[in-house]
């Protein structure tokens, strides 16, 4: 059975940089509060781009690196919680825009764990021989749904927009995805969610929904922090154990960029140096399903890992969901 290899990777972020100083101008916050609580200095916000626009730009780069013509891709998985429309998803839009054949294309909604969930799904298709050239995109334009005022300052400063993409193919050797592990705990649905629009509401859209701000994301920051600090190390250890690996065997851990303080807590709980846990959250904030492929793409460009190195991806987010993947590059 062939294992799944990442043969191309790319990322794209919108040009519009929103610094902590910009946030200070529109809400009661400070660079000092944001930096010490989250590690974020700036993030990118779309101006007139959509999630699929971002996804196309990241996907083009991944395809160039993989030297694959869009017409040869045989499945698209698009992980996002901020698709251009309520339905259909972004995957079919990029199928058409990138000139791909009439292949399968679907969106996957697993929030901040969406990229690893997508990687796991793609891995099953490749290992089973059903598909051979899969495009997996993680992209978000979530600033569009957030309210930028003092009342919503906890979420407003945290999230950013961007996209990352990978091309997945059967490996010719023993390098590639070694394992993926997926988890969820739906008892925490309301700790990080955007309740509307949805089938819970009659009528589907109403003045009440808007007045009660059910269409704006809500986060119970402390509960998220508490659970993330436990689940990240747990799911990283699960990946190590499954592959008979020790932390010393891992070149780099690339976590979903939720918050620098969460990464610091994970480093402490695992007993590893913070340098082993990749971070670019100071530049982009939390980009949900896009954060891992953006981070992986930048870490590769920066030479933080290279051929033959083993890395671990780990994610935690809304649902709650959490996941990990071990990859021999
Ligand atoms: N600027 C200034 N003050 C802010 C603020 C902001 N952007 N956001 C919240 N505050 C205020 C709160 O209103 C609160 O004020 P109060 O004491 O007057 O009520 C105060 O800061 C402290 O709030 P608290 O919740 O105790 O802060 P905290 O130390 O827990 O940090 C988070 C808040 C959001 C940074 C933290 O809970 C966190 O990182 N949670 C995880 C978030 C996350 O990673 N989410 C994504 C997961 S995928």
């Amino acid at each position: 059975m062939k294992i799944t290899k990442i043969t191309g990777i790319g990322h794209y972020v919108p040009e519009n940089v929103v610094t902590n100083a910009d946030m200070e101008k529109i809400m009661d916050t400070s660079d000092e509060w944001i930096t010490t609580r989250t590690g974020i200095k700036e993030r990118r916000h779309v101006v007139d781009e959509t999630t699929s626009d971002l996804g196309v730009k990241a996907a083009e780069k991944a395809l160039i690196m993989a030297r694959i013509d869009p017409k040869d891709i045989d499945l698209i998985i698009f992980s996002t919680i901020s698709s251009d429309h309520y339905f259909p998803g972004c995957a079919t839009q990029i199928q058409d825009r990138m000139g791909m054949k009439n292949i399968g294309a679907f969106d996957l909604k697993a929030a901040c764990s969406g990229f690893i969930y997508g990687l796991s799904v793609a891995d099953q298709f490749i290992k089973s021989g059903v598909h051979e050239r899969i495009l997996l995109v993680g992209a978000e334009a979530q600033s569009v749904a957030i309210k930028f005022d003092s009342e919503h300052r906890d979420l407003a400063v945290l999230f950013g927009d961007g996209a990352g993409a990978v091309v997945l193919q059967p490996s010719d050797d023993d390098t590639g995805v070694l394992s993926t592990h997926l988890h969820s705990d739906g008892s925490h649905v309301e700790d990080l969610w955007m309740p509307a629009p949805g089938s819970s509401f009659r009528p589907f859209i109403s003045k009440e929904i808007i007045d009660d701000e059910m269409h704006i994301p809500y986060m119970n920051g402390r509960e998220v922090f508490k659970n993330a600090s436990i689940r990240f190390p747990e799911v990283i250890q699960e990946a190590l154990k499954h592959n008979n690996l020790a932390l010393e065997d891992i070149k780099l851990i690339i976590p979903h960029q939720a918050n620098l303080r969460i990464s610091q807590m994970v480093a402490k709980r695992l007993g590893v140096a913070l340098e082993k846990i990749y971070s670019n959250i100071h530049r982009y904030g939390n980009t949900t399903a896009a954060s891992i492929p953006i981070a992986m793409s930048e870490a590769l460009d920066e030479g933080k890992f290279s051929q033959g190195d083993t890395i671990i991806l780990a994610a935690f987010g809304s649902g709650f969901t959490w996941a990990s993947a071990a990859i021999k590059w």
Side-chain angles (χ1 to χ4, degrees):
M1 187 172 59
K2 294 234 173 185
I3 65 171
T4 306
K5 192 176 172 77
I6 296 176
T7 55
I9 180 162
H11 69 279
Y12 171 80
V13 290
E15 273 179 26
N16 177 33
V17 178
V18 180
T19 64
N20 290 348
D22 295 327
M23 289 287 176
E24 285 174 357
K25 286 179 207 144
I26 52 175
M27 65 186 78
D28 179 15
T29 190
S30 66
D31 174 48
E32 196 269 334
W33 192 97
I34 302 170
T35 307
T36 54
R37 296 300 215 290
T38 71
I40 299 165
K41 296 303 268 182
E42 58 188 44
R43 70 288 290 146
R44 305 296 179 100
H45 285 173
V46 287
V47 176
D48 49 16
E49 289 168 304
T50 66
T51 300
S52 57
D53 291 335
L54 307 183
V56 165
K57 290 198 168 131
E60 283 168 350
K61 293 182 185 174
L63 285 163
I64 288 169
M65 181 175 162
R67 297 182 190 179
I68 295 268
D69 189 290
K71 287 191 174 54
D72 293 327
I73 290 292
D74 61 7
L75 183 74
I76 306 165
I77 306 174
F78 199 114
S79 293
T80 187
I81 55 166
S82 54
S83 51
D84 298 12
H85 306 290
Y86 188 75
F87 72 84
C90 291
T92 55
Q93 292 175 64
I94 74 166
Q95 176 275 328
D96 179 49
R97 285 175 54 184
M98 297 185 74
M100 294 175 183
K101 289 186 187 147
N102 298 132
I103 53 172
F106 62 92
D107 281 22
L108 193 155
K109 196 194 258 187
C112 301
S113 306
F115 182 79
I116 300 181
Y117 267 63
L119 184 65
S120 185
V121 173
D123 187 33
Q124 313 311 315
F125 276 125
I126 293 207
K127 281 196 297 209
S128 63
V130 173
H131 289 291
E132 293 196 328
R133 286 170 300 276
I134 301 179
L135 174 66
L136 168 63
V137 181
E140 307 282 1
Q142 48 200 359
S143 62
V144 177
I146 291 170
K147 219 168 166 183
F148 295 96
D149 61 21
S150 297
E151 205 188 319
H152 303 87
R153 60 186 177 174
D154 57 338
L155 267 158
V157 300
L158 207 57
F159 290 93
D161 304 333
V166 292
V167 174
L168 300 154
Q169 295 182 260
S171 181
D172 291 329
D173 51 31
D174 66 343
T175 62
V177 178
L178 304 177
S179 65
T180 57
H181 291 95
L182 312 181
H183 296 280
S184 68
D185 179 358
S187 67
H188 289 279
V189 166
E190 296 181 14
D191 285 327
L192 184 52
W193 70 334
M194 189 172 110
S199 59
S200 294
F201 297 92
R202 310 280 192 285
F204 186 64
I205 290 172
S206 65
K207 188 174 173 306
E208 283 70 33
I209 287 176
I210 292 164
D211 290 347
D212 294 345
E213 298 198 328
M214 303 304 274
H215 63 304
I216 293 173
Y218 164 83
M219 175 177 74
N220 179 347
R222 288 191 171 185
E223 201 57 31
V224 172
F225 193 97
K226 195 174 83 191
N227 281 269
S229 308
I230 295 166
R231 298 309 189 182
F232 268 115
E234 195 178 88
V235 81
I236 291 167
Q237 293 286 8
E238 188 177 14
L240 291 172
K241 192 164 173 227
H242 181 87
N243 294 292
N244 279 320
L245 293 167
L247 276 163
E248 300 76 60
D249 302 320
I250 305 305
K251 180 76 174 186
L252 192 67
I253 295 170
I254 304 178
H256 160 56
Q257 304 290 301
N259 183 321
L260 186 62
R261 271 170 65 216
I262 293 178
S263 290
Q264 288 164 342
M265 182 71 86
V266 172
K268 199 169 146 203
R269 291 202 167 158
L270 287 174
V272 297
L274 191 57
E275 295 72 56
K276 206 165 191 159
I277 302 191
Y278 186 77
S279 177
N280 61 4
I281 194 161
H282 52 291
R283 283 198 293 276
Y284 305 127
N286 178 339
T287 57
T288 305
S291 94
I292 289 181
I294 294 174
M296 194 169 30
S297 176
E298 287 207 332
L300 186 65
D301 289 347
E302 291 163 12
K304 301 267 184 198
F305 68 93
S306 57
Q307 199 172 356
D309 288 334
T310 303
I311 59 171
I312 289 187
L313 314 180
F316 177 88
S318 168
F320 290 151
T321 57
W322 60 102
S324 66
I327 300 173
K328 188 168 179 195
W329 196 261

